[in-house]
Amino acid sequence: MNFSNNSFSIEQAKTIDLVNYLKSLGFEPEKIRYNDYSYLSPFRDEKEASFKINRRLNRWYDHGLGKGGNLIDFGIEYYKCSIPELLRNLSGNLSLQQPLISSLENSGQQEPKIKIVEVNTLTSYSLLRYLEQRTIPVEIAQQFCKEVHYSLNDNTYYGIGFKNDLGGYEIRNPYFKTTASPKGITTFENGSNEVVVFEGFFDYLSFKAMTKNLPKNSQDFVILNSVSFFERARPFMENHESIRLYFDRDETGQSYTKRALSLSTKYKDESTLYRNYKDLNDWSVNFGKSKKNNLRHKNS
């Protein structure tokens, strides 16, 4: 989505890529086969993916609802809003409340899709090796992350777990990424007038590794864990005099950056540091070693 536009027409809205739009809302496909993307429905709780997007046609269909269409049809169904309200939301002139997904009738008795089995200190060789590949020092990761063992579809797995403020975990390993509900933002409040904001926790860990000699209370931090939580994080962010954004360099991340810059002069875009890379961690892995001193100097 491009929040920087002054207005969206219906025809412009229809051309927005549905896969990227759902990603901006925090939804990831369960399965991809050629141009067909399968999701757990954004409209309700379910265990089997019944929501489909054909990316070539840029159309969706929800088999549980028996409805489908283009992005306009999706937005009206998702937000329960009018077309003008949706267009204003797409242009950044209106913030619509993300709806609560209604539970199934007996959802209170259903097991969650992912169940945390055990939470320990990070010690697994494969996870430590993965951290090394992502240029994250073990001591940094162990300070902020845990080794989380979880069950999924009667099988047990483990990964690097990063806890959010609601008690859920973002979980990563070399082959898979997922979330143990509830999903939410992660904040670190150290009494600073400056807050540094990241989309994901690997960018946060990279930043902490690059600036490990800074005093602990020099900055506060927000990790969104999904850029779609930007609005949710605004009260915490805007309670600071300076807000430094290290968002991804993809279309969605840069759209949210432009949106933030239009809201207040407090917001500063720091992503030019890694302008030719996906994000801060990607820059660190592929190019950052020779440039890390620049970031240390900037923060000293």
Side-chain angles (χ1 to χ4, degrees):
M1 298 192 308
N2 185 356
F3 293 104
S4 63
N5 285 356
N6 292 325
S7 63
F8 262 83
S9 69
I10 292 176
E11 292 306 313
Q12 286 175 319
K14 289 179 180 179
T15 65
I16 295 172
D17 181 76
L18 276 165
V19 171
N20 286 335
Y21 185 70
L22 260 69
K23 181 179 179 181
S24 76
L25 297 177
F27 298 107
E28 297 286 351
E30 297 287 299
K31 182 180 178 181
I32 303 173
R33 182 175 175 81
Y34 302 110
N35 289 309
D36 295 319
Y37 289 66
S38 301
Y39 297 78
L40 297 175
S41 176
F43 304 126
R44 63 187 178 281
D45 288 339
E46 61 178 14
K47 290 188 174 183
E48 298 294 331
S50 68
F51 183 92
K52 314 290 184 182
I53 291 177
N54 184 289
R55 200 168 196 179
R56 181 177 63 83
L57 299 176
N58 202 31
R59 306 276 293 187
W60 64 274
Y61 188 81
D62 190 303
H63 290 272
L65 288 180
K67 292 182 179 180
N70 54 44
L71 186 136
I72 294 289
D73 302 309
F74 175 86
I76 292 172
E77 184 71 30
Y78 185 69
Y79 288 112
K80 305 298 182 185
C81 67
S82 67
I83 292 178
E85 287 174 332
L86 178 65
L87 295 177
R88 289 198 296 273
N89 175 255
L90 294 174
S91 65
N93 296 321
L94 175 68
S95 295
L96 296 174
Q97 178 66 38
Q98 185 165 325
L100 294 173
I101 299 175
S102 59
S103 298
L104 297 174
E105 186 172 327
N106 296 320
S107 62
Q109 300 174 1
Q110 294 174 350
E111 289 293 320
K113 184 178 181 183
I114 290 176
K115 182 178 180 180
I116 300 296
V117 176
E118 193 175 2
V119 177
N120 296 313
T121 301
L122 273 168
T123 57
S124 166
Y125 174 80
S126 63
L127 296 182
L128 297 182
R129 175 62 177 162
Y130 180 47
L131 289 167
E132 181 182 347
Q133 293 170 348
R134 300 290 293 265
T135 67
I136 305 297
V138 173
E139 64 272 16
I140 296 291
Q142 288 178 334
Q143 184 178 351
F144 299 103
C145 302
K146 296 292 185 180
E147 182 172 313
V148 176
H149 294 245
Y150 62 96
S151 62
L152 174 64
N153 298 328
D154 297 324
N155 294 309
T156 301
Y157 306 92
Y158 62 95
I160 300 166
F162 183 75
K163 197 172 186 178
N164 63 46
D165 291 353
L166 299 178
Y169 282 91
E170 296 298 313
I171 303 173
R172 303 289 184 270
N173 65 37
Y175 313 106
F176 192 64
K177 65 178 182 179
T178 188
T179 301
S181 298
K183 190 174 180 70
I185 67 173
T186 305
T187 58
F188 295 98
E189 190 166 6
N190 300 311
S192 175
N193 291 325
E194 178 178 82
V195 62
V196 187
V197 189
F198 305 93
E199 286 192 38
F201 74 87
F202 268 103
D203 292 332
Y204 171 68
L205 297 178
S206 292
F207 186 90
K208 294 299 290 186
M210 295 171 185
T211 60
K212 59 185 177 182
N213 294 325
L214 286 179
K216 181 180 179 181
N217 62 351
S218 61
Q219 294 154 326
D220 290 350
F221 296 95
V222 179
I223 301 86
L224 299 179
N225 296 317
S226 170
V227 73
S228 63
F229 290 154
F230 174 82
E231 291 293 333
R232 186 179 299 183
R234 278 184 63 186
F236 182 86
M237 294 189 295
E238 294 178 6
N239 196 38
H240 295 78
E241 295 176 4
S242 175
I243 308 167
R244 296 170 53 195
L245 305 176
Y246 287 83
F247 286 176
D248 291 0
R249 292 292 298 181
D250 61 11
E251 181 180 356
T252 301
Q254 291 304 287
S255 293
Y256 273 90
T257 297
K258 292 175 183 177
R259 160 77 167 147
L261 296 178
S262 73
L263 293 172
S264 171
T265 57
K266 288 183 176 183
Y267 289 95
K268 308 295 181 184
D269 177 18
E270 302 288 354
S271 71
T272 54
L273 172 71
Y274 45 94
R275 62 169 60 89
N276 296 320
Y277 297 86
K278 177 185 175 184
D279 53 35
L280 183 62
N281 180 252
D282 184 46
W283 172 84
S284 175
V285 170
N286 292 289
F287 187 71
K289 292 181 180 179
S290 65
K291 299 292 183 179
K292 287 179 182 178
N293 284 336
N294 292 343
L295 188 61
R296 288 196 188 101
H297 178 73
K298 184 172 185 177
N299 288 277
S300 60

